[in-house]
Structure formats: C-alpha cells, structure tokens
Amino acid sequence: MRHATGAELAAALRAGDRRALARAISLVEEGAPGARELIQAVYPHTGRAHVIGITGSPGAGKSTLVSALARAYRREGKTVGVVAVDPSSPFTGGALLGDRIRLDGDAPDPGLFFRSLASRGQAGGLSRAASDVVDLMDAAGREVILIETVGAGQSEVDVMDVAHTTVVVTMPGVGDEIQAAKAGILEIGDIFVVNKADRDGADTAVAALEMMLDLGAGVVSVDAGHHGAGALAAPAAAPQPQMEGAAWRPPVLKTVARDGVGIPELIAALARHRAFLDASPAGLERRRRRAADRLLAVAARMLLERLARRDGRLDSLAADVAARRLDVYSAAEALLSPHPMSSQRVVGTPGTDKPGST
Amino acid sequence: MRRPIRVLVAKPGLDSHDRGAKVVARALRDAGMEVIYTGLHQTPARIVEAAVQEDVDVVAVSVLSGAHLTLLPRIAAGLRDEGLDGVLLLAGGIIPDEDVPALKAAGVAAVFGPGTNTDAIVAFIKNWMEKGGADAARDRG
C-alpha cells in the first residue's frame, strides 16, 4: 500500500479499503507525486456527501459537538467521515492531535472514519489539504463529512470554503458577541450553536447572536421604511413573504453536546440547510464560488512550482535582486514574462554573489 | 519534503494514569512529530483502528496496569492483520525486565520503563526513520 499509485489507491478506497483511504489522505497532505492523479481519479465520484464545517472559539466544545453529531448520524445509519484539524507548532513543526479523545465505544465502528490533520503552517496548506481530504472521503462513500477547525485565525474562513454548511459554536458567558462580530464569524455561520447551554447566560448569548444576525441581515425594523439606505437595508425594504425561500437566516440553537441535548434539533437544522442549498440559486452560487476559490488556489500553487523551476530564471533574477542590480517588481515581471530572458537584463551570473551582499 | 513523523500515543486497559503518556506525547511533539493522542481506556482493537485511519509510522503504548503481556501482543497481532507490520510498536510504563523478551518476541520493538529520558525515545524513533522507517521494515519482510 505504501507504494501504490494514485489510480490504485483511488480504486481501493472506493471499494471501501480503509488503509487505502488513510494512505491517500497522507499523499494529498504531503502534496506528494501521485496526489494529483489520485484526485483526478476520485473527482468524478465526489459530490454526494454533506460536508459540514464546525468552527468556533477554543473551549466552546467543538470536539464534543463533532462526536455527538457523528454518533447521531451513525444512529441514522449514515456513514461518517471526520477531519479534525489542530495547529502545528510554527517552531518545531510538531503537533499534538487530541480530538480522538472524544470518541467513545469499545469496538471500532466501521461506519466512522476519523482523521486528525495538523495545520502544517504552509500558506493555504490547510484549505488545500482539507478540500482534497474531503474529496477522498466523499469518493470513499462517506455520506456526512464533519470538519473540525483549529478555531483561531484564518483557517476557520478557509474551512468555510470547503464546507457546504458552516456551524459556528460558542458558549455562554464569554462575552463573545462583540468578538464574534469583529472576527467576521457572523458572516461565515450558516447555523449558530450556543453549546454548554446548561450554564448561566445561555439565553443572553442566544439573544445577542439573534440580534446581531438581524443587524447583519438588515432585517431590523428601524430601517424598514428607509428605502434610500443602501444595500444593507435593501432586504428589509422587501415585503417579508418575498424573502421566503430566497434567503437563509441562520438559526441559533442551544446544545449541551456532552449529554446529547439539542443534537436532534441541530441535525434537523443541518438537513434544512442542505435542502435550502439544493433548491436555491444561492446554493448554486456558493458551489461555483467554492469551485472558483479552489481552482485559483490550485492554479496558484502550480504556477509557483513552474516559476520556481523555469529555466533557471528564479536563481539568476534572485541573484540580481539580492545584489541590488534589479528591483523586485521588475524581477517579478521578468519571471512571469512569456518571452525568453533578454541577455542584457541578467547582469551577473548566479552564484557569484557574496553572502554578505544579501 | 518528507512529512512529519506521525505517532499514535495510546493508553489501553483500565488504569487511569496517563501522565507518562502525556509527557511522552509532548516530548515527541516538541521533537517535530505529529502526535495523535487517544486518551484513556482504549481497547487493542480501537488502537489498531486509530493506527490505520491516522496512517502513523509509530504506535507508542503505555501500560501501567500490569496487563502488558495481554494487551501488547493483541495490538501487535492487530497491526499485522491490518497489514501494518511495518509500523514501529513501542511500549512504556511499568514493565518488569523479565517480561521484555516475551514482548519483543510478540513484535514490540523496544520497551521504555519509568525514568527513561524522553530524548532516548525521540532518538530511537528518529534513528528508525532514518533507516527507512515503515518502508524499510516492510521491504526487509
């Protein structure tokens, strides 16, 4: 299995071979040779899974919620894939991946495939690997794929590009409301969950989220008659019945994931969101946007690889820039130019610079 | 770039003391490895399944309950059944010297008892990886 080609792995994982799926995930994580062939082979067999992203602040209970959801979907008889992302240390590259701890049961469940991913620091690394990993699990027949994010920083927005439905998890009493507004978390959530709702302040947290969502959607009644108020107020100006089916207003739910409280309601909301995406133009628009983002990310990576290899240009131009013979913008133009490098532009030969000149 | 070494740190059986396992997990992470920590009370079958799904190079098992002669051979056999015989299986915890030969015969590559410097474990794993890790272990048969 260690030396299988992409096409062999693709065939094996589609046939339900768990080791092939595990190996394939490692290949796409590494961006190894064979990864491209692998995705090419599985891509026609993807698009069936409901991909759900779970994000939110550390300590809100994302792992517990993910395992509660996985259990609930398994009870419905659906096969589940989980991708749990934890941060890599920027200093050592190491990572401690502890999300499996929340899994329970004595016997392994063949209907559940759980994979821990380290964020591995590279720019865009998370979203690229996550999209590919989701494709692999999808092709392997997983009906629901849960992605648990790191829960801080840019990566949660990346995961939103991968998921069909993004669930934002928070908890009572952390004064998160304003932080959430600042972090842009209101924009990415399709469903909001106030977890640990048996604690004081749960209703306050729900009310605060509801209010801010109304503000963001422009449906607050204060501006309703104000037709000239610009794009934000526009939806409010429309009569309520016309909005039915046209827009998705994120629901705010309460859960106690540890005890399974509120999980059936969350499952129902997830199903409603999926039906909404399938039926509405917004769903189609979102699929196209996600495809465009992923396409650009892959194209950018390929372009970088090609530029780095291209007829030694990078080395000689970098030497010029380091030696202050050429500014970096002109060098970038030359690197991207479709024409062969003009001989007069390259003043020095690569490798003649002293280390001190950099 | 070679991907980071992936290690499953697992705690089978009934004992509830995972301080040692956590210290090892932390040390391996600080040495640049990706460490998947399973938590307490894992069955051998679940540890093997986690090793499959996480595609690890190394499985490090801590046993303090005295059940090492039962648990570790089961894990080793499970790994073999899944075709993961190339994976490095390490044991730690309270294991009497006289039990070590039996564990090695069952497929445990090394046993690290109490007081082992975590650097020794890191060095053992890195040395094994430099020799080719799971790939080389498989090729040697």
Side-chain angles (χ1 to χ4, degrees), chain A residues 216-239:
Chain A
V219 289
V220 153
S221 57
V222 185
D223 267 351
H226 205 297
H227 289 262
L232 255 185

Side-chain angles (χ1 to χ4, degrees), chain A residues 12-27:
Chain A
L13 73 88
R14 287 194 53 222
D17 183 333
R18 289 139 42 255
R19 273 193 69 212
L21 177 56
R23 204 51 220 135
I25 292 172
S26 296
L27 280 185

Side-chain angles (χ1 to χ4, degrees), chain B residues 83-101:
Chain B
L84 295 180
D85 19 7
V87 166
L88 181 70
L89 179 59
L90 303 177
I94 301 171
I95 295 174
D97 287 346
E98 60 263 32
D99 291 345
V100 171

Side-chain angles (χ1 to χ4, degrees), chain B residues 46-98:
Chain B
R46 290 195 58 190
I47 291 170
V48 170
E49 185 60 26
V52 170
Q53 294 180 1
E54 300 288 354
D55 193 29
V56 293
D57 305 289
V58 181
V59 175
V61 178
S62 160
V63 189
L64 300 172
S65 63
H68 47 272
L69 286 177
T70 316
L71 294 167
L72 283 161
R74 277 195 204 154
I75 294 168
L79 291 172
R80 272 195 301 277
D81 289 346
E82 290 291 346
L84 295 180
D85 19 7
V87 166
L88 181 70
L89 179 59
L90 303 177
I94 301 171
I95 295 174
D97 287 346
E98 60 263 32

Side-chain angles (χ1 to χ4, degrees), chain B residues 102-116:
Chain B
L103 292 178
K104 290 200 167 167
V108 176
V111 177
F112 298 97
T116 303

